[in-house]
Amino acid sequence: MTFDKAGRMVLPAAHGKAVRLKAGWSVRVTNPYGTQALDFWAFNATDHAEFLSMDNVRSFNSVAYVNKGTALVTTERRPIVCITEDSSAGNHDTLLCACNPAIYRELGVKGYHRSCSDNMHEALGEIGVAFPVTPAPLNLFMSVHVRPDGSLERLLPRSAPGASITLRAELDAVLAFSNCPQDVTTINGPDRTPRDCLLDILPPEGAA
Ligand SMILES: [Zn+2]
């Protein structure tokens, strides 16, 4: 599971991938079916204790969800990535935790089930990074509506097939993606089927 010479890889359904990215470089995430949610994390490459922080994103921007133009800030309230292109339905969720083993137990799954939380640690481990906890993820392509009474409604995927999001690193960063393995609820579509996505590494604009 590595990038080809053109900087592209298929991220298999239900799996994760982490990449080191210099400031100015980007990753484009393409959702071939439009239905797949991806949990996303970003860490300062030189100090992992500084990371993309959903509570700081909500506080800094006064928002409950993220779109192109939202400042994606760290625990130190510095932008770490920027959404430079987004052809998805937008309103990416900041509220829900990464799926984890406890959630699948709650849902009645017997035995091991892959999860976004485990995917993050597995993917970071593949590039030699260990992190003690699972930060709250930015849930790309996932829409959660806050009802007037304060309750949350998990919306079905709303993006068109082929929708993509481009994330540019604003600092030297470690980025981690999890193709959400959720196949019990409908967060990855009414047929409850996790699917592959594509990752493309893109050089800084204007670079040869
Ligand atoms: Zn998940």
Side-chain angles (χ1 to χ4, degrees), residues 43-171:
F43 303 84
N44 179 335
T46 54
D47 178 7
H48 300 154
E50 181 183 10
F51 56 86
L52 173 63
S53 160
M54 289 305 102
D55 43 357
N56 279 285
V57 166
R58 290 191 296 269
S59 162
F60 188 89
N61 298 281
S62 298
V63 294
Y65 49 75
V66 163
N67 280 306
K68 186 175 170 182
T70 307
L72 298 179
V73 296
T74 66
T75 43
E76 299 296 326
R77 292 173 87 88
R78 299 194 296 165
I80 185 166
V81 287
C82 175
I83 299 177
T84 56
E85 172 273 332
D86 184 357
S87 64
S88 78
N91 294 4
H92 309 284
D93 173 59
T94 71
L95 299 170
L96 296 187
C97 62
C99 64
N100 57 52
I103 287 179
Y104 289 104
R105 283 197 298 275
E106 261 174 42
L107 291 169
V109 173
K110 306 289 182 214
Y112 184 70
H113 192 291
R114 298 193 67 84
S115 67
C116 286
S117 181
D118 285 358
N119 281 349
M120 184 205 80
H121 294 285
E122 183 178 85
L124 290 177
E126 286 169 2
I127 61 167
V129 174
F131 200 73
V133 296
T134 306
L138 171 56
N139 295 308
L140 299 172
F141 300 100
M142 188 195 297
S143 305
V144 174
H145 173 63
V146 183
R147 297 189 186 97
D149 69 358
S151 64
L152 301 181
E153 180 182 13
R154 293 164 170 79
L155 302 178
L156 289 170
R158 300 177 304 132
S159 294
S164 66
I165 298 168
T166 304
L167 295 153
R168 184 182 67 211
E170 302 296 284
L171 312 169

